[in-house]
Amino acid sequence: AQSVTQLGSHVSVSEGALVLLRCNYSSSVPPYLFWYVQYPNQGLQLLLKYTSAATLVKGINGFEAEFKKSETSFHLTKPSAHMSDAAEYFCAVSVYNQGGKLIFGQGTELSVKP
Amino acid sequence: ETGVTQSPTHLIKTRGQQVTLRCSSQSGHNTVSWYQQALGQGPQFIFQYYREEENGRGNFPPRFSGLQFPNYSSELNVNALELDDSALYLCASSEGSNSPLHFGNGTRLTVT
């Protein structure tokens, strides 16, 4: 069975500050991990994915995530927050390397203060 | 290319009624997946259709059913609506059952 836990339902940062959104996973098989972003009244957009090629994954909009098997974590970071980063972020796990049948976490709402 | 489109965007139904939600997949995509996103929650996988056949189902009761048509568009049907069915329903299409998902903007269903 697979599951994802996102620590912190709300995260608030100042513009220009580091963004850190936490995700821990549980999986009985090697996982494929994903981060999605959802803007208000919109669907989900893929930010990045881990498919075992490299543990540090770079995505769109300056985001990156590091897969740490020993910690069962896949935290999302961005060095400098921008106002446009304010959105809901979801971590997800799948047994399929392209993301079929995703299992999502509860989500983390990111607020960016001017 | 045209992305994934869902209709209607908003819908209000009464408990016990039936509802049909529609999804047009992105050009060239033969797989459609449906997710339910309750308020404040992450999306939950309902089922996936690949070339008109159900190809996996999440933990949803049989009153949630679906169809995929020869043009790969899809419908999600929910019978005997309950208050807890109120949610954003997301459709995602892909080129195959294990290909990147492209999400639509969803249908917001409210059950009163």
Side-chain angles (χ1 to χ4, degrees):
Chain A
Q2 297 185 308
S3 66
V4 167
T5 301
Q6 292 183 239
L7 301 176
S9 57
H10 292 89
V11 170
S12 181
V13 301
S14 297
E15 192 172 20
L18 171 72
V19 175
L20 171 60
L21 304 183
R22 300 177 186 274
C23 172
N24 288 89
Y25 70 90
S26 173
S27 180
S28 56
V29 298
Y32 299 107
L33 294 159
F34 306 79
W35 276 99
Y36 281 84
V37 62
Q38 186 177 36
Y39 297 100
N41 301 313
Q42 293 190 23
L44 301 169
Q45 181 182 8
L46 179 65
L47 277 177
L48 49 81
K49 59 184 179 183
Y50 166 74
T51 58
S52 77
T55 56
L56 182 62
V57 181
K58 294 188 184 298
I60 63 172
N61 302 338
F63 285 93
E64 63 182 37
E66 185 172 8
F67 173 72
K68 292 187 176 180
K69 185 178 179 179
S70 61
E71 299 178 7
T72 62
S73 69
F74 190 57
H75 302 332
L76 181 71
T77 60
K78 182 174 180 178
S80 177
H82 192 273
M83 296 296 291
S84 61
D85 294 327
E88 187 90 20
Y89 291 80
F90 293 95
C91 182
V93 64
S94 176
V95 297
Y96 301 95
N97 64 0
Q98 296 297 328
K101 302 171 191 174
L102 292 161
I103 297 170
F104 286 89
Q106 298 277 74
T108 297
E109 183 180 2
L110 175 65
S111 300
V112 182
K113 299 174 291 186
Chain B
E1 69 186 5
T2 305
V4 178
T5 58
Q6 294 186 241
S7 62
T9 55
H10 294 82
L11 198 54
I12 300 174
K13 289 287 189 178
T14 302
R15 190 172 52 183
Q17 286 187 317
Q18 177 266 344
V19 69
T20 298
L21 309 182
R22 295 179 174 81
C23 173
S24 293
S25 57
Q26 187 167 315
S27 177
H29 289 185
N30 58 17
T31 303
V32 172
S33 303
W34 286 92
Y35 289 81
Q36 180 196 64
Q37 185 179 11
L39 197 62
Q41 308 277 328
Q44 289 194 8
F45 174 71
I46 304 175
F47 42 56
Q48 180 187 84
Y49 279 83
Y50 171 64
R51 294 188 174 182
E52 303 179 59
E53 296 287 330
E54 187 177 291
N55 182 39
R57 187 181 182 93
N59 188 26
F60 280 81
R63 59 189 185 83
F64 284 78
S65 63
L67 281 174
Q68 188 178 32
F69 300 99
N71 66 355
Y72 302 130
S73 65
S74 177
E75 287 182 354
L76 164 65
N77 298 289
V78 187
N79 293 322
L81 284 167
E82 301 177 359
L83 297 179
D84 285 348
D85 296 333
S86 295
L88 180 68
Y89 288 85
L90 295 166
C91 168
S93 73
S94 55
E95 291 182 2
S97 59
N98 184 27
S99 294
L101 302 181
H102 297 254
F103 283 86
N105 288 339
T107 293
R108 173 76 62 187
L109 173 65
T110 302
V111 182
T112 62

